[in-house]
Amino acid sequence: MERLQKAIAQAGIASRRRAEMYITNGEVKVNGVVVKELGTKVSASDTVVVKGIEIQKEEPVYYLFYKPRGVITTVSDDKGRKTVLDFFEDVEYRIYPVGRLDYDTSGILLLTNDGDLDNKLTHPKYEVDKTYVAKVKGTITIPDLKQLRDGVMIDGKKTAKASASLVKPGDDGKSSIVSLTIHEGRNHQVKKMFDVVGHPVQKLSRTDYGFLNLNGLTPGEYRRLKPHEVEQLKKLTNDK
Ligand code: URA
């Protein structure tokens, strides 16, 4: 989703300021309705008409990215840190990340300009499974795993049922490698869940997003999703 005046400006029809003028003058329609509010958010699925001319939509594109650690999941950063979009300098589409991974988390991240699919994939209702592999402090026990599976209280709300299993004990003898699959996307959810069971996360990676994984990619690399993968992703969100 982006602000209406930005969508108009980026379509090359007018400067941001002129776009704002068109909006407040009542010369802009979103899905057939005149919109005069400057803050209105639109997505790629909305039809925007400016002075009778529909703004050109980009064809929807979908990328699967292996996010390295030390990269921020935003399109720009005021502290000058590397962002995920720095890896897509050659890509001319106005893509943005679907959901987020923490600065120090690596792993699978989708980027798209398809606002509709972005909205759906990030909505907990659609329950897309995300699998994380975490190196956590200490030796995780069977009761800890059960607690993670059954749900723990974070920020005053219990987490939904999850899958959790020990992958292997950590090489240093003081940690455990644990796989955790969740379908919610609450803020820092995985780290908070492990905090609750007394095993803080030392290293975190997201290995799977629904049926998609990182096979064939190294950190910093990306690939376009294949048409059948896009269809499958859409199906994941259409059946509910
Ligand atoms: N949960 C976290 O705590 N961090 C992430 O980056 C993703 C999920």
Side-chain angles (χ1 to χ4, degrees):
M1 299 283 273
E2 63 188 358
R3 290 161 78 85
L4 183 54
Q5 56 269 42
K6 187 172 172 198
I8 296 169
Q10 285 183 333
I13 284 202
S15 67
R16 182 84 63 97
R17 183 164 301 175
R18 192 164 280 271
E20 289 176 357
M21 206 181 73
Y22 289 152
I23 296 168
T24 49
N25 284 351
E27 292 173 304
V28 176
K29 284 184 179 171
V30 177
N31 302 325
V33 178
V34 172
V35 168
K36 291 185 171 184
E37 316 280 299
L38 285 179
T40 304
K41 295 275 179 73
V42 290
S43 76
S45 60
D46 290 313
T47 301
V48 178
V49 174
V50 180
K51 290 166 87 65
I53 298 165
E54 184 174 338
I55 68 170
Q56 206 59 42
K57 278 188 219 146
E58 287 181 339
E59 60 165 313
V61 287
Y62 309 86
Y63 293 89
L64 190 160
F65 177 50
Y66 190 156
K67 176 192 172 299
R69 275 173 238 292
V71 174
I72 189 155
T73 311
T74 50
V75 291
S76 66
D77 182 46
D78 49 16
K79 294 191 194 125
R81 289 174 293 186
K82 215 175 172 67
T83 77
V84 290
L85 277 198
D86 289 337
F87 291 83
F88 289 83
E89 272 171 358
D90 295 340
V91 170
E92 284 173 5
Y93 299 96
R94 286 181 284 128
I95 55 170
Y96 45 85
V98 176
R100 37 176 79 206
L101 288 177
D102 292 338
Y103 183 71
D104 58 356
T105 301
S106 66
I108 188 165
L109 183 71
L110 298 180
L111 291 99
T112 184
N113 55 358
D114 181 341
D116 191 38
L117 191 65
D118 171 39
N119 282 341
K120 288 180 170 170
L121 287 174
T122 50
H123 196 294
K125 179 170 105 183
Y126 294 104
E127 304 188 351
V128 178
D129 280 343
K130 281 144 296 211
T131 297
Y132 295 83
V133 172
K135 180 183 179 202
V136 302
K137 192 170 170 205
T139 302
I140 199 127
T141 63
I142 289 172
D144 294 334
L145 292 172
K146 181 168 178 347
Q147 235 189 309
L148 291 168
R149 285 183 202 125
D150 291 347
V152 293
M153 288 297 283
I154 60 171
D155 304 324
K157 190 167 172 257
K158 199 172 173 187
T159 56
K161 294 243 178 293
S163 304
S165 58
L166 176 68
V167 177
K168 58 175 190 170
D171 293 335
D172 54 10
K174 292 186 284 192
S175 58
S176 313
I177 311 296
V178 183
S179 170
L180 179 66
T181 303
I182 59 173
H183 64 249
E184 299 165 296
R186 291 160 63 182
N187 219 3
H188 309 302
Q189 178 161 349
V190 174
K191 290 177 183 167
K192 286 179 181 168
M193 288 175 76
F194 280 107
D195 280 344
V196 171
V197 296
H199 296 283
V201 168
Q202 296 176 329
K203 214 170 174 189
L204 187 61
S205 186
R206 183 158 72 185
T207 56
D208 299 76
Y209 191 99
F211 58 91
L212 295 166
N213 59 42
L214 290 165
N215 288 354
L217 295 178
T218 58
E221 287 185 339
Y222 62 81
R223 68 171 177 86
R224 284 280 283 268
L225 287 188
K226 302 192 174 80
H228 73 87
E229 292 173 322
V230 175
E231 281 317 301
Q232 222 174 319
L233 266 185
K234 288 185 178 168
K235 264 208 190 117
L236 280 183
T237 63
N238 277 343
D239 296 337
K240 301 282 153 82

